[in-house]
Amino acid sequence: MTAITPDSPQHQNKHQKAKALKPGSRRPAKELCSECGLCDTYYIHYVKEACAFINQQIPELEAQTHGRSRNLDDQDDWYFGVRQDMMAARKQQPIDGAQWTGIVSSIAIEMLNRGMVEGVVCVQNTKDDRFQPQPVIARTPEEILAARVNKPTLSPNLSVLEQVQQSGMKRLLVIGVGCQIQALRAVEKELGLEKLYVLGTPCVDNVTRAGLQKFLDTTSRSPETVVHYEFMQDFRVHFKHEDGSIEKVPFFGLKTNQLKDVFAPSCMSCFDYVNSLADLVVGYMGAPFGWQWIVVRNDCGQEMLDLVMDQLDTQPVMSQGDRKNAVQQSIPAYDKGVTLPMWAAKLMGVVIEKIGPKGLEYARFSIDSHFTRNYLYTKRNHPEKLEAHVPEYAKRIVGQYELPKE
Ligand code: FAD
Ligand code: SF4
């Protein structure tokens, strides 16, 4: 990529042209666009190299960020990416209203309070709608806390990048999901920063705001009171309602025939579930139920995690069970959008919870199920992209299974 500095005439020209466009009016990735926000800024002129859905370059960016790309002889590298440590953790005093125990918000607050960064890119919600994302550059702990909890919708986090450069900020933390972070890493050198920290979360099956409404309407008993939800390790979706009650719906009972088209095409063709390019990843799926899952990818990620270690209980990661049969059997069901009657779905959920995969094996189950589904989706809908868009580690994961004949 040719370097264009923010002050160079070439940049200024492209900046003027990009500015003339309305936000959202240009999306070179077309229907595969995940609304990461890059194209709402003058960094749109890097889009052909930077967009995760136009130019998949995870191995190159892993080498740039972590000093190496995945070792393809190591199956754990296929699944969890480059890393120097993994653990299960939870805050001794959880943050009220956070998605899990609030490790992400706590790290961001520590970094700001200790002066390691001047701002934090994160996503609050709009005044009128708790699930409508509103990306911001937070400069106070209160603004970081206001961004806690998932906005389970596509969020244009990178749309605030221009403000970073205009503000003269030199040290920045960005919180985001894989597609946002891939584009960010690709333009990192153009941002004029002295130091960029990246705190990532895993991400899968994201939706537009309209898609989210359809999911809530078809799945929850009271869609209007849902404050947050998660696809849990007990094979149920847990909806938390305004009154604090928890509603549990088994995965196998989801109305998959109605929900088939609800997930964004970008997420149906994504192979970066575990946020390969963040310095530190905080999720839940590789940890026992109730705990968060931490993946430290490099020294920078360790530095970030060290800031909150005295606020955490931790335990080593564990792995139990064998996912392979469950994944193989779920491929045709996923593919055809089969829905089980609720009694059968509940029964299946209970059985699988008792004998099913746990810890890292559950994470592998979820990665396998999504990568096989996404591989089929990409093959059918974007066959010309398949070879270059699917990273080698994902091809190896998918290659373990028998896929339906076309
Ligand atoms: P909190 O302290 O509550 O902070 C949440 C942070 O997430 C905030 O800083 C906010 O800026 C950021 N955020 C919220 N919504 C978005 C968004 N749409 N895009 C980018 N950033 C956002 N983990 C798994 O292990 N498996 C999964 O399948 C999985 N899917 C996810 C899907 C989505 C759309 C998101 C946003 C996260 C997902 N996660 C997943 C991560 C997990 O749900 C928690 O976000 C993570 O464990 C952090 O919890 P916390 O309590 O520490 O976060
Ligand atoms: Fe632009 Fe991001 Fe959409 Fe790609 S995913 S077209 S970079 S907004």
Side-chain angles (χ1 to χ4, degrees), residues 89-325:
R90 62 181 178 203
K91 283 207 73 195
Q92 290 151 3
Q93 293 177 331
I95 295 181
D96 194 31
Q99 183 70 16
W100 281 77
T101 69
I103 295 179
V104 166
S105 300
S106 303
I107 291 173
I109 289 171
E110 284 299 325
M111 292 181 75
L112 199 64
N113 283 345
R114 295 180 195 217
M116 286 169 68
V117 292
E118 297 151 276
V120 177
V121 174
C122 52
V123 50
Q124 301 176 348
N125 55 287
T126 59
K127 266 206 258 75
D128 316 325
D129 181 352
R130 63 166 69 106
F131 289 131
Q132 185 69 46
Q134 174 76 59
V136 295
I137 306 173
R139 292 162 187 261
T140 64
E142 293 72 30
E143 287 168 355
I144 294 171
L145 276 179
R148 70 193 187 285
V149 80
N150 292 359
K151 271 48 82 179
T153 45
L154 301 177
S155 173
N157 282 22
L158 301 187
S159 61
V160 297
L161 279 188
E162 258 179 39
Q163 294 168 35
V164 172
Q165 195 246 320
Q166 285 156 3
S167 70
M169 237 175 232
K170 293 292 172 203
R171 304 180 70 84
L172 184 73
L173 168 66
V174 175
I175 300 172
V177 298
C179 54
Q180 298 159 358
I181 301 309
Q182 203 182 133
L184 175 74
R185 287 299 191 193
V187 299
E188 175 175 354
K189 293 202 178 73
E190 323 303 330
L191 302 176
L193 293 171
E194 278 161 18
K195 183 72 189 168
L196 171 68
Y197 291 91
V198 179
L199 177 46
T201 66
C203 181
V204 80
D205 289 351
N206 217 337
V207 288
T208 59
R209 184 62 187 86
L212 174 65
Q213 204 53 48
K214 185 167 180 196
F215 171 70
L216 295 174
D217 289 345
T218 50
T219 313
S220 171
R221 61 170 153 74
S222 169
E224 63 289 351
T225 59
V226 172
V227 286
H228 89 54
Y229 71 85
E230 195 80 84
F231 284 72
M232 289 288 194
Q233 298 101 317
D234 62 358
F235 296 86
R236 296 182 182 98
V237 190
H238 291 205
F239 293 98
K240 187 171 176 199
H241 290 276
E242 276 166 352
D243 63 1
S245 64
I246 307 282
E247 172 190 6
K248 299 180 184 179
V249 179
F251 291 178
F252 304 102
L254 293 181
K255 300 194 176 91
T256 36
N257 45 353
Q258 291 177 49
L259 293 174
K260 252 191 140 201
D261 304 322
V262 95
F263 301 125
S266 52
C267 307
M268 296 290 289
S269 54
C270 168
F271 297 91
D272 191 22
Y273 195 167
V274 297
N275 211 325
S276 315
L277 302 167
D279 299 311
L280 178 69
V281 180
V282 181
Y284 64 90
M285 66 182 178
F289 188 64
W291 292 70
Q292 292 187 256
W293 175 49
I294 312 270
V295 184
V296 181
R297 299 212 179 282
N298 56 34
D299 291 345
C300 207
Q302 186 64 53
E303 188 192 350
M304 290 153 75
L305 180 62
D306 285 344
L307 299 173
V308 297
M309 277 308 270
D310 61 351
Q311 304 174 29
L312 304 181
D313 290 327
T314 61
Q315 61 168 300
V317 280
M318 50 76 79
S319 186
Q320 193 184 308
D322 184 350
R323 74 205 179 271
K324 289 254 178 74
N325 277 336

Side-chain angles (χ1 to χ4, degrees), residues 27-30 32-39 47 51-54 183:
R27 294 289 183 263
K30 301 187 179 129
L32 287 183
C33 172
S34 69
E35 299 293 341
C36 78
L38 188 84
C39 295
V47 66
C51 176
F53 302 95
I54 297 176

Side-chain angles (χ1 to χ4, degrees), residues 74-92:
D74 176 352
Q75 286 215 5
D76 278 348
D77 265 26
W78 297 359
Y79 281 91
F80 310 125
V82 176
R83 71 214 172 277
Q84 51 190 46
D85 201 5
M86 287 200 282
M87 70 190 71
R90 62 181 178 203
K91 283 207 73 195
Q92 290 151 3

